[in-house]
Amino acid sequence: MRIVIVGAGEVGFHIAKRFASEGKDVVVVDTNAEALKHVGEQLDVLTVHGSGSSPKMLVEAGIAKAHMLLAVTNSDDTNLIACFFANVLAPGARKIVRIKSEEYADHAYALAKDLLGVNLVINPDVEVVESILRLLAAPAAVEINEFADGLIWMAGVRLPQDSPLVGRTLTELPTVTGELRVMVATLVRDEKLIIPTGADRFQSGDHVYFACEKSDLDAVLARFGFHHPPIRNILIVGGGKIGLHLAMILESRGKNVKLVERDPDRCRELATILDKTVVLAGDGTNHELLEEENIQAMDMVIALTGDEETNIISCLLAKRLGARKTLTRINKFAYMPLVKAIGIDQTVSPRLSAINSILRQVRRGKIISAVSIKDEEVEIIEAVALEDSELVGRPLKNLTVRKFALILTVIRAGKVIIPSGETVILPMDRILILAASKDVPRVERVLAVKVERD
């Protein structure tokens, strides 16, 4: 599979890294010679120095033989023009475009379907807001992803010392969860990933990733020892596109929202758009401002400016002054481990959201969605079991896939099945599979029909 990536920034680099590690034929196009040099030195990919909006550069990148074009630069114009020419030069290739501008995003469907034949338009800002809303629905979780049209939620939590799970083995999980159906997918302990067996014991501080029905999530968290009151009072730092969009949704849901924005002109604009949100002109890192606004009464402080340092400082200061929970927007992947280590509760990343959106479009077999967890070491794949797949018709205990992947759930006719070794997957079942990123190509081959594998 040849993939042409227009854009060598963090999104382009990480997508190229993932696909190169899977043996795919990757070509990266960018005008930035330094960024291309970094890509070429770190990854086994081809690079083309030039603009992805140039048909000449696309031809040089081998677009005619490409299975897919990913246009993920920071310029919407470049991304759209690249798709325009790719539609002419490689009409059969799948095209994915990243669009951030509201003017373009409002007409994304028409641009994609009617003019450019694009298969997927990604707006990272919108997806970040959706991630934040999921985290607000379960404040005990540090990460949440949804599958099966929202029926299944995959949550990540850090076990407190007094959790009923601490000291128990995985086989003892039902003594804690009772009638609730839960599948523990993986543990992260001291930054090491563990795919647990029945004999593994939970420890205080473990990051536990588990899957359950959305309707059971609150009850499962309570059984795990989390008893967080709902989030009602929220302070947003940063009145950009993400902050405004989030504030509009939260106030429509009856939350008490305050929004701090440094630019006075932007504050006046926000005040005319928002109905119930209190808009404050000021700096989210200002100690006096936070105290005046009764920061200790805030259930959640969400820092969404475009500057990581400002976001981190705002959250740390708010936490020190008594805010219950903090959530920060992070763009640079290198900052993510640091942010978790210094005590900020939750993070969201527009770039990681874009990557997860792209992943599901390049997987073989009938894959519906795919997301990465644990710094991209692990991938959760949602797929439909095809009739000719080797997954179908045999008990799970007899499948070779169990040697390198874990089947978390099976959804059949709208009902969730937590599988055992005797479970038999039927054609058109939806399945949720966990695998290390290095094993994803093997999972793809298992999901694909036999004719496609031969």
Side-chain angles (χ1 to χ4, degrees), residues 79 103 138 260 269 277 283 362 368 379 391 449:
N79 294 342
E103 288 123 6
V260 178
E269 182 182 354
T277 299
D283 190 334
V362 295
I368 300 167
E379 197 165 314
L391 289 175
V449 296

CSV table of all heavy atoms in Angstrom, one decimal, residues 79 103 138 260 269 277 283 362 368 379 391 449:
chain,number,residue,atom,x,y,z
A,79,ASN,N,-4.1,21.9,1.7
A,79,ASN,CA,-4.7,20.6,1.8
A,79,ASN,C,-5.8,20.4,0.7
A,79,ASN,O,-5.9,19.3,0.1
A,79,ASN,CB,-5.3,20.4,3.2
A,79,ASN,CG,-4.2,20.4,4.3
A,79,ASN,OD1,-3.0,20.2,4.0
A,79,ASN,ND2,-4.6,20.6,5.5
A,103,GLU,N,-14.7,28.7,8.2
A,103,GLU,CA,-15.4,29.0,6.9
A,103,GLU,C,-15.4,27.7,6.0
A,103,GLU,O,-16.4,27.5,5.3
A,103,GLU,CB,-14.6,30.1,6.2
A,103,GLU,CG,-14.8,31.4,6.8
A,103,GLU,CD,-13.5,32.1,7.3
A,103,GLU,OE1,-12.5,31.5,7.0
A,103,GLU,OE2,-13.6,33.1,7.9
A,138,ALA,N,-17.4,11.5,32.7
A,138,ALA,CA,-16.8,10.5,33.6
A,138,ALA,C,-15.5,11.2,34.1
A,138,ALA,O,-14.4,10.8,33.7
A,138,ALA,CB,-16.5,9.2,32.9
A,260,VAL,N,-12.3,32.7,30.6
A,260,VAL,CA,-11.2,33.8,30.7
A,260,VAL,C,-10.5,33.9,29.4
A,260,VAL,O,-10.0,32.9,28.8
A,260,VAL,CB,-10.2,33.4,31.8
A,260,VAL,CG1,-9.1,34.5,31.9
A,260,VAL,CG2,-10.9,33.3,33.2
A,269,GLU,N,-16.5,40.1,21.7
A,269,GLU,CA,-17.1,39.3,20.7
A,269,GLU,C,-17.8,38.1,21.4
A,269,GLU,O,-18.9,37.7,21.1
A,269,GLU,CB,-16.1,38.9,19.7
A,269,GLU,CG,-16.6,38.0,18.6
A,269,GLU,CD,-15.6,37.6,17.6
A,269,GLU,OE1,-14.4,38.0,17.8
A,269,GLU,OE2,-15.9,36.8,16.7
A,277,THR,N,-22.8,32.2,29.8
A,277,THR,CA,-21.4,32.1,30.2
A,277,THR,C,-20.9,33.5,30.7
A,277,THR,O,-21.1,34.5,30.0
A,277,THR,CB,-20.5,31.6,29.1
A,277,THR,OG1,-20.9,30.3,28.7
A,277,THR,CG2,-19.0,31.6,29.5
A,283,ASP,N,-5.9,37.0,32.4
A,283,ASP,CA,-4.9,36.0,32.1
A,283,ASP,C,-5.2,34.8,33.0
A,283,ASP,O,-5.3,34.9,34.2
A,283,ASP,CB,-3.5,36.5,32.3
A,283,ASP,CG,-2.4,35.6,31.9
A,283,ASP,OD1,-2.7,34.4,31.8
A,283,ASP,OD2,-1.4,36.1,31.5
A,362,VAL,N,-7.2,3.7,7.0
A,362,VAL,CA,-6.2,3.0,6.3
A,362,VAL,C,-6.1,1.5,6.7
A,362,VAL,O,-5.1,0.9,6.3
A,362,VAL,CB,-4.8,3.7,6.5
A,362,VAL,CG1,-4.9,5.1,5.9
A,362,VAL,CG2,-4.5,3.8,7.9
A,368,ILE,N,-14.2,-0.3,11.3
A,368,ILE,CA,-15.0,0.9,11.5
A,368,ILE,C,-14.3,2.0,12.1
A,368,ILE,O,-14.4,3.2,11.7
A,368,ILE,CB,-16.3,0.5,12.3
A,368,ILE,CG1,-17.1,-0.6,11.6
A,368,ILE,CG2,-17.1,1.7,12.6
A,368,ILE,CD1,-18.1,-1.2,12.5
A,379,GLU,N,-3.3,-0.3,20.0
A,379,GLU,CA,-4.4,0.2,19.2
A,379,GLU,C,-5.6,-0.7,19.5
A,379,GLU,O,-5.5,-1.9,19.7
A,379,GLU,CB,-4.0,0.0,17.7
A,379,GLU,CG,-4.9,0.8,16.8
A,379,GLU,CD,-4.3,1.0,15.4
A,379,GLU,OE1,-3.1,1.3,15.3
A,379,GLU,OE2,-5.0,0.8,14.4
A,391,LEU,N,-11.8,-15.5,11.7
A,391,LEU,CA,-12.4,-15.3,13.0
A,391,LEU,C,-13.7,-16.0,13.2
A,391,LEU,O,-14.1,-16.3,14.3
A,391,LEU,CB,-12.6,-13.8,13.3
A,391,LEU,CG,-11.3,-12.9,13.5
A,391,LEU,CD1,-11.8,-11.5,13.7
A,391,LEU,CD2,-10.6,-13.4,14.8
A,449,VAL,N,-10.8,-10.7,4.3
A,449,VAL,CA,-11.3,-12.0,3.7
A,449,VAL,C,-10.1,-12.8,3.2
A,449,VAL,O,-9.0,-12.3,2.9
A,449,VAL,CB,-12.3,-11.7,2.6
A,449,VAL,CG1,-13.5,-11.0,3.1
A,449,VAL,CG2,-11.6,-10.9,1.5
